Amino acid sequence: MPEHRLLLRDIDIPDIEQMDMYVTHGGYDAAERMLAEMASQDVIDEVERSGLTGRGGAWEAVAPKWRAMPAPTATEPNYLCVNANESEPGTFRDRKLIERNPHQIVEGVLIAAYAIGARTAYIYVRDGMARGMKLLEDAIAAAYERGLLGVDIRASGYDLDIYVHPGGGAHIAGEETALLEALEGKRAQPRARTFWPHRTTLFGQPALVQNVGTLAYLPHIIARGAEWFSSLGTQRHPGTCVFCVSGHVRRPGLYEIEMGAATLRELIEEYAGGVRQGHQLKAVLPGGAASVVLTADQIDVRLCPEEWAVPGGGPLQGNFGTGGVIVMDETTSMVDAALNLMQFYARESCGQCTPCREGAPWLRDVVRRVERGQARMEDIGLLESVAAQVSPLLGEETLALCRFAPSFAWAMQGFLRAFGEEFAQYIEAGGCPFPQDKGIKVPDSVSVRF
Amino acid sequence: MEFLAETKRECEEILGRYPHPEGALLPILHLAMREWGHIPPEAVVYLSTLLGMSPARLQGALTFYPAFRTQPSGRHLIGICCTLSCSLMGATEVESYLCEKLGVEIGQTTADGRFTLTKMECLACCGTAPVMLVDGELHQSLTRVKIDQILERLN
């Protein structure tokens, strides 16, 4: 089955990051038409009819969030804050979208900002993406030069400034309200939310936070129409999904597939070429570090949010996540993989809520004890107990302000449920009971030009 | 401790992007890193005046974000990604090779002051793992040979 590329459609065109080349391939046609013919409400209506949902991991419908924004006035402005703090383990879509086709992002930002009447947009780009930041800044400068940004754009009476905001390298800054704190020059600690729509503010004014990978769809939706977009993918999540496949496959990389059109097995075996030669599949994290690990015989599942408990209420446990598929072969120790993730979570917890600040290091330390062969059999129950205290029973309930804590609690519970036997073998053997391969590996090839 | 005149002009421009000067904190901390390589206590006082915020608030934010260093580093800063996808593709070997080649442990600086070696969390480049960041520049699909070539180019 071929890919269905929208966001990645132009990604391999040489010089597409240059304004002329982007325009040659139809770039800014959508924005020009919008500025000439559409009122801001028309844009929101179009996006509502398209059914676009957020690609940052929450999969919430985009248009209601836009409608919930109060209308801006001269003294009470709105802000658009673009989340490009990509740092979920296994996810590398936004980096490529920014580095390969920055104008697609700038055009998407222009469309969303126009729709909500924001005259300032900040693109919060993660640390470690210096090249992408430079390319975005160059694209923004070229858009000013072409008269697509600045004052009274195309005589529409609408003004927009876009600024690239370099982030500080914290994973949690990608959480919606933490990102706003970061933009305000504070520690990126999530805010308490009480009701929906969350009244998100920046500098005391209404602010819309949207993932960069969501906004990149907007030029396509405005150019080709809501009906076309909503005919793709599933009813609840129209369009495509860019899957990031990494780990022990022959062809790691980005694969853009119509939502729900492929199974996880097809993605791994057909698109990514299967597990590296001479090896067998052992486990898959289907949606980044925050998803629940699947065993080799659990991959005949349709790839769409509806199949997962979160956000779709489906039969699979945990999060559908962000499209970051991490593939592990039989040389991988599941204790080692769990330890790696718990180290990540312990290091990235913002420290604000007790279950998270204390729970993540506890889990890390106990998994490390198992990995080093110093654990007792009761430690498996201890891991379960700590995970359950952080977030009870893979439920929606959490004792923390944001979804970071349930993410690692579910990840830990997932490892214990699927590979508890291996944890027990480690404890009995006093260490890893089989040979691991921790050497450098070179895949056959990589899809998408890097 | 003060920014160079040219950096001060950059600061002014950045401050103009935000309705409140504190919004410019992260971009200006990046300028400070570029100019001084790290952010010592004297810089905290200077920057807090510049941004109109208390030194305590600035210190709090500074120590929250891993992109900023409060201690000096070698001329080149190496950050090895150690998160899961890179680990699966050989980050452990990258780490041991660099430690052996440079004769340092993670967190240390070589005796000649040339390199500081650190570990980082996910760099969002898992498809071309293993990866590392050297002076802010990303290097992908690492092998021993590639690591040798990257280090040779740095004085």
Side-chain angles (χ1 to χ4, degrees):
Chain A
M1 198 191 321
E3 282 186 65
H4 194 116
R5 288 186 166 195
L6 305 180
L7 301 193
L8 302 183
R9 188 188 67 196
D10 298 337
I11 209 158
D12 289 327
I13 298 171
D15 300 328
I16 194 71
E17 72 279 9
Q18 304 290 330
M19 174 63 88
D20 290 349
M21 190 56 82
Y22 185 68
V23 168
T24 303
H25 287 85
Y28 291 110
D29 281 359
E32 297 277 13
R33 194 171 70 79
M34 173 189 79
L35 290 161
E37 299 170 9
M38 298 170 86
S40 59
Q41 284 305 316
D42 300 336
V43 181
I44 300 180
D45 291 345
E46 191 74 11
V47 171
E48 181 154 58
R49 280 198 303 275
S50 79
L52 179 66
T53 51
R55 261 55 176 177
W59 300 98
E60 271 177 28
V62 165
K65 237 169 111 171
W66 294 14
R67 283 208 199 283
M69 292 288 292
T73 65
T75 51
E76 301 286 324
N78 271 348
Y79 293 106
L80 173 63
C81 305
V82 184
N83 189 345
N85 190 57
E86 182 173 57
S87 36
E88 174 67 15
T91 311
F92 49 98
R93 172 196 66 197
D94 299 345
R95 176 186 282 281
K96 288 304 132 197
L97 293 179
I98 291 168
E99 289 180 355
R100 295 297 313 145
N101 196 355
H103 279 292
Q104 179 174 251
I105 312 262
V106 174
E107 189 174 5
V109 174
L110 168 57
I111 293 167
Y114 180 83
I116 62 160
R119 285 161 192 253
T120 308
Y122 299 106
I123 309 179
Y124 187 98
V125 182
R126 63 156 296 154
D127 184 52
M129 234 189 246
R131 188 165 141 250
M133 235 178 293
K134 174 79 174 58
L135 285 161
L136 264 182
E137 277 168 352
D138 290 350
I140 290 166
Y144 274 103
E145 210 168 289
R146 206 181 169 82
L148 284 161
L149 293 176
V151 178
D152 193 19
I153 301 166
R154 294 286 183 266
S156 63
Y158 174 65
D159 313 333
L160 176 64
D161 288 311
I162 304 180
Y163 301 114
V164 173
H165 187 97
H171 172 276
I172 198 62
E175 197 274 345
E176 188 175 48
T177 60
L179 184 128
L180 295 164
E181 292 283 297
L183 277 166
E184 290 182 355
K186 299 172 184 149
R187 296 164 82 97
Q189 294 182 315
R191 298 172 182 168
R193 312 157 172 247
T194 43
F195 56 88
W196 197 96
H198 321 299
R199 191 46 59 83
T200 48
T201 60
L202 180 69
F203 306 115
Q205 296 301 130
L208 172 71
V209 182
Q210 212 79 81
N211 189 273
V212 74
T214 309
L215 299 185
Y217 280 105
L218 297 174
H220 301 273
I221 291 170
I222 299 300
R224 299 176 72 175
E227 283 65 35
W228 159 80
F229 188 80
S230 65
S231 73
L232 302 172
T234 64
Q235 203 182 350
R236 271 161 74 188
H237 299 283
T240 59
C241 187
V242 177
F243 291 98
C244 314
V245 186
S246 67
H248 298 145
V249 290
R250 288 188 174 198
R251 282 195 306 276
L254 298 177
Y255 297 95
E256 186 170 9
I257 302 172
E258 211 178 312
M259 187 66 87
T263 64
L264 184 55
R265 180 182 298 282
E266 286 163 345
L267 177 66
I268 294 169
E269 293 182 355
E270 292 168 31
Y271 293 89
V275 171
R276 65 193 176 117
Q277 199 162 16
H279 294 275
Q280 301 88 47
L281 183 66
K282 181 170 181 179
V284 184
L285 278 164
S291 58
V292 170
V293 69
L294 299 172
T295 55
D297 58 354
Q298 292 177 320
I299 62 169
D300 293 297
V301 291
R302 206 161 68 102
L303 286 168
C304 54
E306 290 90 325
E307 297 293 321
W308 269 261
V310 180
L316 290 161
Q317 284 174 319
N319 284 307
F320 175 67
T322 45
V325 175
I326 305 176
V327 179
M328 295 170 262
D329 71 18
E330 87 291 351
T331 66
T332 315
S333 148
M334 288 301 116
V335 173
D336 199 47
L339 175 59
N340 187 290
L341 294 180
M342 293 308 129
Q343 278 171 336
F344 169 82
Y345 282 111
R347 192 153 144 173
E348 295 293 337
S349 169
C350 84
Q352 200 174 201
C353 312
T354 309
C356 180
R357 181 185 64 244
E358 303 301 321
W362 263 77
L363 292 173
R364 176 201 61 199
D365 291 348
V366 179
V367 178
R368 184 184 281 150
R369 197 151 75 192
V370 177
E371 199 268 335
R372 289 184 177 165
Q374 299 159 346
R376 299 154 299 183
M377 218 37 105
E378 305 92 89
D379 284 342
I380 294 180
L382 181 60
L383 287 170
E384 274 162 3
S385 151
V386 173
Q389 288 174 67
V390 172
S391 186
L393 298 171
L394 282 176
E396 281 290 306
E397 258 180 274
T398 171
L399 305 165
L401 284 177
C402 78
R403 305 204 61 83
F404 187 87
S407 293
F408 72 75
W410 298 357
M412 189 69 241
Q413 287 165 328
F415 271 95
L416 292 172
R417 197 173 319 101
F419 295 100
E421 191 60 27
E422 190 171 319
F423 279 67
Q425 285 166 7
Y426 251 82
I427 295 169
E428 273 172 10
C432 189
F434 59 87
Q436 298 180 57
D437 177 1
K438 294 199 165 190
I440 294 174
K441 300 161 193 79
V442 180
D444 295 359
S445 63
V446 176
S447 89
V448 176
R449 199 153 60 85
F450 278 76
Chain B
M1 200 159 198
E2 269 187 46
F3 277 143
L4 299 171
E6 195 187 317
T7 315
K8 280 184 184 164
R9 278 191 293 276
E10 263 181 272
C11 260
E12 285 306 311
E13 193 274 316
I14 290 171
L15 283 162
R17 299 174 181 180
Y18 302 90
H20 194 288
E22 290 188 15
L25 175 72
L26 294 182
I28 285 176
L29 288 179
H30 279 286
L31 286 188
M33 285 295 293
R34 191 187 70 194
E35 189 145 318
W36 302 315
H38 72 293
I39 300 170
E42 312 89 87
V44 169
V45 176
Y46 169 67
L47 294 171
S48 64
T49 312
L50 201 71
L51 290 157
M53 64 199 287
S54 77
R57 282 273 307 281
L58 194 141
Q59 183 78 20
L62 169 66
T63 52
F64 184 86
Y65 296 97
F68 310 116
R69 292 176 64 86
T70 52
Q71 298 294 322
S73 55
R75 288 198 296 284
H76 304 288
L77 184 62
I78 302 175
I80 308 164
C81 177
C82 57
T83 316
L84 189 56
S85 299
C86 278
S87 168
L88 293 171
M89 296 303 277
T92 311
E93 186 180 340
V94 170
E95 181 189 335
S96 58
Y97 183 61
L98 275 165
C99 285
E100 181 194 302
K101 190 176 163 74
L102 301 177
V104 292
E105 300 288 311
I106 295 294
Q108 293 179 340
T109 301
T110 54
D112 59 3
R114 198 167 151 219
F115 295 107
T116 298
L117 192 60
T118 65
K119 273 162 81 162
M120 301 183 82
E121 292 297 349
C122 190
L123 287 167
C125 207
C126 321
T128 42
V131 303
M132 65 180 183
L133 209 57
V134 182
D135 301 333
E137 195 190 331
L138 188 76
H139 297 275
Q140 313 168 55
S141 304
L142 295 175
T143 58
R144 285 176 178 242
V145 175
K146 227 166 158 178
I147 292 169
D148 289 342
Q149 289 166 348
I150 293 160
L151 297 196
E152 263 166 37
R153 287 200 300 270
L154 303 168
N155 63 348

